[in-house]
Amino acid sequence: MKRSLLALFLFSNILFAESNPSPFSTGVSFSGYDSRYYTKRQETLWFRGEVCLKDLVLILPNEECPKHKVFLEKRGETYLGSYQFENKNIYLSYGNRFRPLNHFFFLREKFDFSSFWFLEQPTVRTGFLGLKFGESILGTYYAENSADKQPGFFLKPYKNYLELAYSPQTKEGFILLEFPSSEERKSEKKPYWFRTEIFGTKEDTQGIISASWADKEKDKRIFASGFRGRVGQLFQISERTDPEEKAGLFRFVWEPGPYRRLQFAESSRYSSDGKEIYSAQSVLGRMEILEFPWFAVLAQARAYSFSDHSSWVWGKGVYLSYQKKFWRWEIGQEWRKNGDRLTEAGLQISIGKNWKIYSSLIYAEEKNLLPAFAEESITPEETGLVVTDKSFYSFLRIFHPYFAIHIRHTREKEGKGDGLSMRFQVYIPLFD
């Protein structure tokens, strides 16, 4: 009975909480990856608290309530604590969670990340001290292994539109430029947005640039993005890759109406010294040939180019699809002139402002000669195309403000081993 009452209490908080994050909350995160080459798991249990102590005597008193935040967590077998203080004049934090910048890649812990946009991302051990001037903040930071011998510097000139950081120790810089800001974009009032997140040294620059315009009422969209990062983020191939390899992606999508799409994509692999060692291109066009109230029959043409093949390969496909505002699904098959055959399926569902479900699946015949392009997440907010030669590739993402799951399942050519990557996260508001 006690367990049932506790579950009912927590569930009622999840349903009726009005602010994110809640002043007091807890949660759990599990991340794991298994394949015949590599296995890693990490569990995280955490508690977050936020209070305002109006009667606390401060060195720089102000009329507003100063914010005190505490984040306690257990990552694997390691216990960590983080603290943040912020008022009208000062920002101060230390630990493995709090930071004054929204840059997704800035000092974050490599293996894990939070799917909840309102929750602080896991980071390496850091410390920040900043002075606030209205909507601006200027300061210095400490970071384990990158700014522990020489302090780094950061600047937010105005609100969340622009962020800059630099570490003299590693010569690594960070820049975030977006419009509208991440806070404004959550209201979904503006039909357009631009975002660029870049980090790294002059010799090794990584990050993402994306821009989009959409008319959701008429199902129209123009989207362009560029990404450069670790090879495993853009290539899921059977041969083993050097961990020092990098990869890049450029993608352009034009959807002038329901069931119509023109897309160009180019993916590249780079060696550790920056030389291109492989590239893949795809040009896709599709349109409806029959449309019914609950689905449409689509015709698709796609051309592929691979750097290890001398000529373009053409493919044609037939798909069944449904697309209305926040609901999309499709399933179909593609036949290539070289004899390859590919079965694809996709699902995108939004229920209100909370539930979002995205899934993609590719099944390739074992005799297929060339790779395929699969759509998957790059960051919690961005999707991209992954080049894969797996015989089976599936991806599932389910998101709710209090629940998130990412699952990727792959199977090697000729069934020679499976790979499974999973991230499961729960957020529980305790008091609102």
Side-chain angles (χ1 to χ4, degrees), residues 108-145:
R108 79 175 185 90
E109 202 263 352
K110 301 299 183 183
F111 183 66
D112 200 10
F113 65 84
S114 173
S115 298
F116 306 118
W117 58 263
F118 52 84
L119 194 66
E120 292 80 7
Q121 294 289 338
T123 68
V124 299
R125 182 159 294 276
T126 63
F128 292 90
L129 175 62
L131 299 179
K132 300 174 68 176
F133 306 92
E135 300 288 349
S136 306
I137 180 171
L138 170 67
T140 183
Y141 71 90
Y142 155 89
E144 201 170 48
N145 299 323

Side-chain angles (χ1 to χ4, degrees), residues 129-363:
L129 175 62
L131 299 179
K132 300 174 68 176
F133 306 92
E135 300 288 349
S136 306
I137 180 171
L138 170 67
T140 183
Y141 71 90
Y142 155 89
E144 201 170 48
N145 299 323
S146 62
D148 49 357
K149 298 178 181 178
Q150 289 181 268
F153 305 94
F154 70 90
L155 170 66
K156 293 180 70 170
Y158 181 69
K159 292 188 176 180
N160 294 324
Y161 300 116
L162 177 64
E163 299 177 352
L164 302 166
Y166 180 72
S167 169
Q169 178 178 325
T170 59
K171 304 296 189 294
E172 187 176 23
F174 300 84
I175 180 172
L176 167 64
L177 175 63
E178 61 178 357
F179 185 83
S181 69
S182 55
E183 291 297 324
E184 294 172 333
R185 197 163 70 248
K186 293 179 181 70
S187 66
E188 299 182 350
K189 293 181 178 180
K190 297 185 183 297
Y192 59 85
W193 56 271
F194 170 82
R195 180 182 179 90
T196 178
E197 272 188 275
I198 300 173
F199 69 101
T201 62
K202 185 177 180 181
E203 296 76 20
D204 181 17
T205 302
Q206 302 180 55
I208 188 167
I209 300 175
S210 58
S212 175
W213 174 88
D215 184 339
K216 294 183 179 179
E217 294 297 324
K218 297 181 180 179
D219 284 319
K220 295 182 178 181
R221 182 175 70 133
I222 297 176
F223 173 78
S225 68
F227 177 79
R228 183 180 173 94
R230 293 178 288 106
V231 67
Q233 294 174 289
L234 297 179
F235 285 85
Q236 291 289 321
I237 52 180
S238 299
E239 66 175 279
R240 298 196 66 176
T241 57
D242 186 341
E244 298 300 318
E245 285 185 16
K246 298 296 187 293
L249 166 69
F250 172 75
R251 184 186 185 194
F252 172 81
V253 177
W254 176 39
E255 295 178 341
Y259 308 121
R260 299 190 177 189
R261 171 182 288 189
L262 177 64
Q263 174 178 279
F264 172 79
E266 180 175 18
S267 300
S268 301
R269 283 173 57 194
Y270 301 92
S271 62
S272 57
D273 58 1
K275 295 181 180 180
E276 185 179 86
I277 56 179
Y278 183 82
S279 66
Q281 295 179 327
S282 170
V283 180
L284 176 149
R286 68 163 47 170
M287 64 180 297
E288 75 281 7
I289 53 178
L290 291 173
E291 186 172 352
F292 303 97
W294 293 104
F295 70 94
V297 181
L298 311 182
Q300 175 177 291
R302 181 157 45 185
Y304 299 89
S305 174
F306 300 95
S307 59
D308 55 352
H309 287 74
S310 58
S311 60
W312 285 76
V313 177
W314 290 85
K316 57 184 178 181
V318 176
Y319 293 77
L320 297 180
S321 177
Y322 174 79
Q323 180 177 329
K324 294 294 181 182
K325 293 185 179 179
F326 307 108
W327 292 67
R328 294 186 180 191
W329 62 260
E330 66 179 45
I331 184 169
Q333 194 161 50
E334 177 180 275
W335 297 267
R336 300 174 184 170
K337 284 196 172 182
N338 68 340
D340 288 358
R341 190 166 63 180
L342 200 69
T343 301
E344 297 179 293
L347 175 70
Q348 295 183 51
I349 296 178
S350 295
I351 304 175
K353 292 185 177 180
N354 290 330
W355 284 98
K356 298 184 185 298
I357 302 173
Y358 178 85
S359 179
S360 62
L361 179 148
I362 288 181
Y363 172 75

Side-chain angles (χ1 to χ4, degrees), residues 51-54 56 58 62 64-68 85-87:
V51 296
C52 288
L53 304 178
K54 294 183 178 180
L56 186 65
L58 303 175
N62 59 85
E64 296 182 0
C65 177
K67 298 178 182 178
H68 298 265
F85 167 80
E86 184 177 6
N87 65 11

Side-chain angles (χ1 to χ4, degrees), residues 7-52:
L8 181 62
F9 169 74
L10 295 176
F11 185 67
S12 65
N13 276 282
I14 288 177
L15 287 180
F16 300 111
E18 297 180 355
S19 61
N20 292 322
S22 173
F24 293 93
S25 56
T26 187
V28 61
S29 173
F30 170 81
S31 298
Y33 178 76
D34 282 290
S35 73
R36 59 176 175 170
Y37 299 122
Y38 181 69
T39 298
K40 185 170 184 178
R41 293 180 176 85
Q42 179 169 297
E43 300 84 21
T44 301
L45 300 172
W46 57 266
F47 169 83
R48 183 186 186 278
E50 179 178 345
V51 296
C52 288

